[in-house]
Amino acid sequence: MKRMSARLIASIVTALLLAALSIILVSAWLVVQGRQLNLEMESKVRVSTQLAVEACIRLLAEGEVLRLRQLADRYAGDEQVVRVMIADRTGQVIADSRREALGTQPPLIMRSFGSRRVLIEKTPEYWTGAYVVYDEIIDRDLGVVAIDFSTVRLEEAQASARMAGLMITLLGIGIGILIALVGVGFLTRPLTMLVQAIHCVEAGEMESPVEATGSTELVEIGNAFNAMVTSVRQRIRNLEILNQMESGLARSADLATSVEVMKRASQSLLNADLYLWIQEPVSRMLMQIGSPGEAPISEPVPPESDFPVARGFTGRPMIMIGEDSDLPPGTEIAGGMTVNSGVVLPLWTPEGMAGVLAVVNPHGRRFVTKEDSALSWAIAALAAPMVAAAVRTQMQGRAVAALQALLIPELPTDTGADVSALYLPAEEAAGVGGDYYDFAEIGESRWGIVVGDSSGKGLEAARYTTMAKWILRSFMHEYENPADVLRQSNRVLAMQEMAEGFITVFCCTWDSAQSLITYAVAGHPAPLLYSALSGDVREVPSTGSALGVTLDATFTHHEVFLNSGDVLCLYTDGITEARQGDEWFSDTRFAEALKDHAHESSREIAEAIIAQVKEFTGGVTKDDIALVVLKAQ
Amino acid sequence: MEYSDIRNGRNPGVGLRTVAWAGVVLFLIASNFSTECRAQTVTFHHPWVHGQAVMQNLAAEYTRQTGVRVQVTALNPQGYNPWTDGVQPDIIGLSYPNRGTIARNAQAGRLSNMSPDLVQAWYADLWPGPVAVFELSGTEAPAGRPGTYGIPLTAFVRVFVYNREMFRRAGVSPPRTWSDFLLASSRIRGIGIVPMAGGVEGTYPAFPLIYERSYLGNHYLLQTYFGRLPYTDTRWRNQFRVYSEMRQYQLTTVGAAQMTRANAQRFLLDGNCAVILDGPWFESMRRTYRPTFTNWGVFGPPDDRRAPFLASAPGGVAEGVVINSRSRNRAAAVRFIRWLTMPAQQVRLANGMGSIPISEQASQSPALASHLRVFTPYMRYAAQDLRYHEDPAVLNRLYQGARNVIGGTETPAQALNATQRLAR
């Protein structure tokens, strides 16, 4: 069943009410009118009868019957008087305008004797007024005058009144319907506009406010709706800002960038500055993190100090600074930072305290509203896990850097060849990859050279790589054949239950005395060899699976003699798989770069290759790059 | 006269015609002047010898007030005929006129119609009954011109004059109804006197006039007199029942009933009866015959509730005036007559004439003699005498029948049948 609109219902109800009101009023009017007409008729009957009586007194006293009959006839000529009877004091009708009752004694006339008022007898056709002819001076009843008044005019007047009532009722109903339609439309127009505005809000259009018109209640509703829309709009904007902040925090590579993101959000939401303190893991001091290019304002804060920042770090929910707040204006929240108005919020995460946030109003406005507090808390709540992650990443980065330092050795100088190596960590990903290279002197004029790329990223990959490096290095000292080194190392790595990763390795020995490269490959990209004689660049043969995958993996070794000027490039896939959109840097570009710069020193060759890769990717490398260039002399 | 004569300036008849027109103009001026001069003297002839003094005094007063001289002349009431005595006065006085007298003189062209002068302010203060004597209907007035052909100056009414002492002795009070009257008569008879005397005498049978009108009203009386209603009608029989009851209750005797008014007055003054039917003249008899009798009073006709109409006292005009149709001072005469009917003059006139004032205000004036004032309340419906329409012989038989019923020699039916036979 289709639901009726409130306007239609209101119109119908209003029309019915007005119609009912019209009917009631008209009915009341008809009753009053009917009574009025009856009273007028009664009044006419009384007055006319009394006047007739006055004219009859002398004639009745003197027995002027003829003149009484003339009088009766004359009175009966009146439009409403249908009959006049005059009786003598014995009740005998002596004058009758119709002559029928002459000599009779009508009951009404007989009842009139002794009465000093007009008696009225009503029938549907006529009203009879009877009044005794009485001479008060001599105190004698002289007779009775009875007059029949036609009710035709009364009925006509009543019919006219009924017809007028009917017309008024119909008119009232019509006007009622009209008023209902127009009036209710007028009254509900603001509601209609409000509904339209609600639909607009529902569709996301919240720019045009509702025109607050109509009755007081509707104006209040309109104003409240506008205020609500404004509030919702503001909240949506705040949510958008917070969302932007959250996504910005997620994209932030470091804490400084996160602080910058939070500062922008704070400015937008609260028109306030924002400051962040985190705990330095070594010194345990609370250090302010400035945005990029911004120097910290406050001095390091001892966590056990009484500064609000320190107290916030202990877990106190919120410390407000300002008039009538927790702390007065001018409070030094951290060493060297005085605040007149602001709040200090802990950045709490389930793993623990991530830091302390200070939202400071540079204009001195108090943070008093629930909105301010809620927004501050929202910033803190959103920032806490991000800051915690950033701190964690920063800590991991430091650990990785430490590991990386262990993985990237110093370049040896007495290898009998022009050797250079570069390690370029990924630009985007926080942390460190699993790429590395290694040099180990394993005999007289013999050097072991390894380039590896472990699976995964970060601290875990670095740990795995470190482990693999030292395993490989230890077996390089034990076995001369790189294939054996790889086989033994594979066994060791594959047996590591805790190790879930794997590592690809290019392992070779460089015998500078024979200018011989003996190598074995474990799932690693084949190195590029530049032949100075031919000027060509080719891949050296390479077979074998990655280390740590299966226990019984087999590896074969190969030998390559290098002539003077030949260049061997050992690398990880960070070079060939560098991307610009959907296009890879590829072996071809790599080979061309090598070929173009092969006549240069190993250092220049390595830097040129890296430069071309960076140029290709636009400066952002998504994977680690390890590159070893060995140029035979 | 030819056109050429005028053109040539010759008009042979102009001198004679100029003289004729000048004569006419002078005659009209002189006539008007003469009228104005005569307007200063209004002539007034009347037959009221007993009222000449007061009339002359009033005329002198009027002259003093208005400058208009009124010449009042009292003529011998015996054979009084102001229209034939060779003198044509402006105002003519009439004693006890009835409508018949007025109608005859009006039809003879002797009376001036005063209707145009009878404004409401004047008319309203006059007792309507006596005025009606002069009001002629279309059939009575000359050439079908209904109007008022005279004005009463004084009036009379006849009611019951009673001896208070006898009533006291009989233990009765003045009766209001016919039945009370009959009961009172029994009580009065009980103290050995005749209750009522007079009233059914020959010349002016006041008693029958009361109850004829009560039972028949003016209408049926006239119907009877005009021959349209027989005396044998129920109304007459009902009326004659009154005489039977008079006999039955011994209200009067035949002898007492047919006493003349003067004899009845003396009968009352001598203490032989308790009630008579009399008017303002009673005082004259009392003063001359038995001035010590002062304990008397009057009561109106006891109302017979069986009768359809009111038992009203017979009355009419005592002294009335008409304006001579030949009067050249009609306007001045009207003004004088109106002056006479004003309350102040009415009191003086009534006191001087021994009659009732025609003015209602004067009738209630303390200056009016008390013996007159006792009668004035009954002027309200004073019944005029309509008998002039009937043959006197028939009327004589009618009243003879009444007396016979009272005396028991005839039944009402016999009396009425005899009357009716005569009326045919």
Side-chain angles (χ1 to χ4, degrees), chain A residues 57-69 88-90 94 135-142, chain B residues 128-129 176 213-214 216-220 301 303-312 380-382 384:
Chain A
I57 291 177
R58 179 163 190 84
L59 298 178
L60 266 172
E62 295 180 351
E64 292 284 1
V65 176
L66 182 62
R67 292 175 67 184
L68 286 170
R69 287 178 180 169
D88 60 31
R89 58 186 187 158
T90 66
I94 56 174
D135 190 327
E136 60 185 0
I137 294 176
I138 61 174
D139 189 24
R140 291 281 197 281
D141 284 351
L142 303 177
Chain B
R176 286 176 57 81
R213 193 187 188 205
S214 182
L216 289 106
N218 288 347
H219 175 70
Y220 289 110
D303 199 13
D304 188 347
R305 297 291 168 85
R306 299 165 300 181
F309 307 115
L310 189 67
S312 53
R380 182 171 176 77
Y381 296 120
Q384 59 174 307

Side-chain angles (χ1 to χ4, degrees), chain B residues 62-249:
Chain B
Y62 184 72
T63 303
R64 279 196 298 276
Q65 290 182 10
T66 64
V68 177
R69 181 165 173 262
V70 180
Q71 184 179 351
V72 181
T73 305
L75 301 177
N76 185 0
Q78 299 297 325
Y80 174 69
N81 189 347
W83 288 282
T84 59
D85 60 0
V87 180
Q88 295 295 328
D90 299 311
I91 302 171
I92 298 168
L94 300 173
S95 287
Y96 302 99
N98 57 35
R99 287 168 71 97
T101 307
I102 302 303
R104 280 195 304 275
N105 285 299
Q107 287 172 356
R110 297 170 183 147
L111 307 184
S112 175
N113 187 358
M114 295 180 69
S115 293
D117 309 297
L118 271 174
V119 294
Q120 176 68 17
W122 182 9
Y123 185 84
D125 188 42
L126 307 182
W127 288 115
V131 173
V133 170
F134 295 92
E135 291 174 342
L136 302 182
S137 64
T139 56
E140 297 167 322
R145 288 180 298 167
T148 305
Y149 286 83
I151 290 294
L153 290 183
T154 60
F156 76 94
V157 68
R158 287 185 70 170
V159 293
F160 290 92
V161 177
Y162 72 100
N163 186 327
R164 290 181 187 273
E165 175 59 22
M166 288 188 179
F167 267 55
R168 188 192 62 77
R169 282 167 53 194
V172 295
S173 57
R176 286 176 57 81
T177 65
W178 176 247
S179 57
D180 290 345
F181 196 19
L182 293 177
L183 289 174
S185 71
S186 300
R187 303 280 291 273
I188 294 168
R189 177 67 76 174
I191 61 173
I193 59 174
V194 175
M196 187 185 82
V200 199
E201 73 273 22
T203 53
Y204 195 87
F207 191 88
L209 289 182
I210 293 172
Y211 293 99
E212 282 174 1
R213 193 187 188 205
S214 182
Y215 273 89
L216 289 106
N218 288 347
H219 175 70
Y220 289 110
L221 278 175
L222 289 173
Q223 291 286 303
T224 305
Y225 297 152
F226 294 152
R228 297 171 190 159
L229 184 74
Y231 284 99
T232 54
D233 186 79
T234 307
R235 293 177 178 82
W236 279 105
R237 287 207 297 273
N238 290 340
Q239 195 270 313
F240 261 60
R241 192 171 55 197
V242 170
Y243 305 130
S244 300
E245 289 166 350
M246 289 174 74
R247 171 180 169 73
Q248 181 182 351
Y249 288 90

Side-chain angles (χ1 to χ4, degrees), chain B residues 237-405:
Chain B
R237 287 207 297 273
N238 290 340
Q239 195 270 313
F240 261 60
R241 192 171 55 197
V242 170
Y243 305 130
S244 300
E245 289 166 350
M246 289 174 74
R247 171 180 169 73
Q248 181 182 351
Y249 288 90
Q250 297 180 332
L251 180 61
T252 186
T253 62
V254 176
Q258 60 188 356
M259 279 183 182
T260 62
R261 185 167 57 84
N263 288 336
Q265 288 171 340
R266 282 190 283 269
F267 203 57
L268 177 76
L269 292 171
D270 288 339
N272 294 321
C273 71
V275 177
I276 61 171
L277 260 169
D278 207 350
W281 320 281
F282 174 74
E283 176 65 8
S284 172
M285 177 62 79
R286 186 194 68 78
R287 282 183 183 170
T288 56
Y289 185 72
R290 194 172 298 279
T292 57
F293 180 79
T294 56
N295 197 12
W296 61 283
V298 300
F299 60 87
D303 199 13
D304 188 347
R305 297 291 168 85
R306 299 165 300 181
F309 307 115
L310 189 67
S312 53
V317 181
E319 285 88 20
V321 291
V322 295
I323 296 178
N324 193 339
S325 61
R326 296 179 182 177
S327 170
R328 292 181 178 176
N329 301 316
R330 185 182 180 284
V334 169
R335 285 195 291 273
F336 175 64
I337 293 170
R338 184 170 182 180
W339 183 82
L340 285 177
T341 58
M342 289 179 179
Q345 287 71 248
Q346 277 288 296
V347 171
R348 291 171 63 185
L349 194 60
N351 288 339
M353 294 282 196
S355 301
I356 296 170
I358 196 65
S359 162
E360 280 195 50
Q361 290 185 47
S363 300
Q364 295 158 7
S365 170
L368 185 67
S370 60
H371 67 275
L372 298 177
R373 203 162 58 242
V374 295
F375 292 97
T376 57
Y378 307 102
M379 283 304 299
R380 182 171 176 77
Y381 296 120
Q384 59 174 307
D385 190 356
L386 302 175
R387 293 175 300 156
Y388 61 91
H389 291 291
E390 184 57 292
D391 183 355
V394 175
L395 291 175
N396 283 335
R397 181 65 186 93
L398 179 69
Y399 301 134
Q400 181 59 49
R403 287 189 287 270
N404 291 341
V405 172

Side-chain angles (χ1 to χ4, degrees), chain A residues 193-419:
Chain A
M193 293 172 62
L194 195 60
V195 170
Q196 290 173 350
I198 289 170
H199 287 315
C200 288
V201 171
E202 190 179 13
E205 298 174 10
M206 289 186 284
E207 295 306 318
S208 51
V210 175
E211 186 185 355
T213 59
S215 62
T216 307
E217 294 80 1
L218 290 174
V219 168
E220 288 180 0
I221 289 173
N223 290 333
F225 179 78
N226 287 336
M228 184 191 74
V229 169
T230 303
S231 175
V232 169
R233 195 162 56 211
Q234 183 63 36
R235 285 166 190 270
I236 289 173
R237 177 177 165 274
N238 292 344
L239 282 176
E240 288 173 350
I241 293 171
L242 289 172
N243 282 336
Q244 288 173 3
M245 186 190 81
E246 188 178 19
S247 60
L249 287 174
R251 284 196 306 271
S252 297
D254 52 31
L255 275 172
T257 309
S258 298
V259 169
E260 178 63 27
V261 170
M262 288 190 287
K263 275 180 178 289
R264 284 202 301 269
S266 175
Q267 283 290 340
S268 298
L269 293 173
L270 298 165
N271 196 22
D273 294 333
L274 181 141
Y275 303 96
L276 173 68
W277 285 264
I278 63 170
Q279 190 173 40
E280 166 62 35
V282 178
S283 65
R284 311 288 296 171
M285 297 290 276
L286 298 175
M287 308 296 288
Q288 185 200 342
I289 306 300
S291 55
E294 181 191 47
I297 298 173
S298 78
E299 299 167 354
V301 178
E304 65 278 4
S305 67
D306 197 35
F307 289 116
V309 169
R311 281 192 280 163
F313 196 75
T314 61
R316 181 161 176 179
M318 176 186 273
I319 301 171
M320 297 189 72
I321 299 104
E323 295 287 345
D324 300 327
S325 299
D326 300 331
L327 296 172
T331 298
E332 189 176 18
I333 62 171
M337 181 181 284
T338 302
V339 171
N340 288 325
S341 173
V343 291
V344 175
L345 298 156
L347 298 181
W348 187 85
T349 67
E351 290 78 23
M353 199 59 66
V356 176
L357 207 63
V359 181
V360 176
N361 183 7
H363 310 294
R365 185 175 65 84
R366 286 175 57 201
F367 282 71
V368 291
T369 65
K370 291 174 68 176
E371 186 75 12
D372 292 339
S373 301
L375 287 172
S376 299
W377 272 116
I379 292 173
L382 287 174
M386 302 298 177
V387 169
V391 168
R392 195 161 52 245
T393 302
Q394 190 182 51
M395 295 303 113
Q396 286 179 352
R398 288 184 182 181
V400 168
L403 288 172
Q404 200 84 50
L406 292 174
L407 288 171
I408 306 301
E410 290 185 4
L411 196 64
T413 57
D414 53 350
T415 58
D418 179 10
V419 177

Side-chain angles (χ1 to χ4, degrees), chain A residues 403 407 434 436 453-455 458-471 489-490 492-496 498-504 546-549:
Chain A
L403 288 172
L407 288 171
Y436 86 101
D453 183 1
S454 64
S455 61
L459 194 58
E460 190 64 27
R463 188 183 64 80
Y464 189 83
T465 305
T466 304
M467 181 177 67
K469 173 186 174 178
W470 290 111
I471 289 171
S489 297
N490 177 59
V492 173
L493 288 171
M495 289 171 66
Q496 294 293 321
M498 45 128 356
E500 294 180 351
F502 62 90
I503 185 169
T504 64
L547 302 183
V549 179

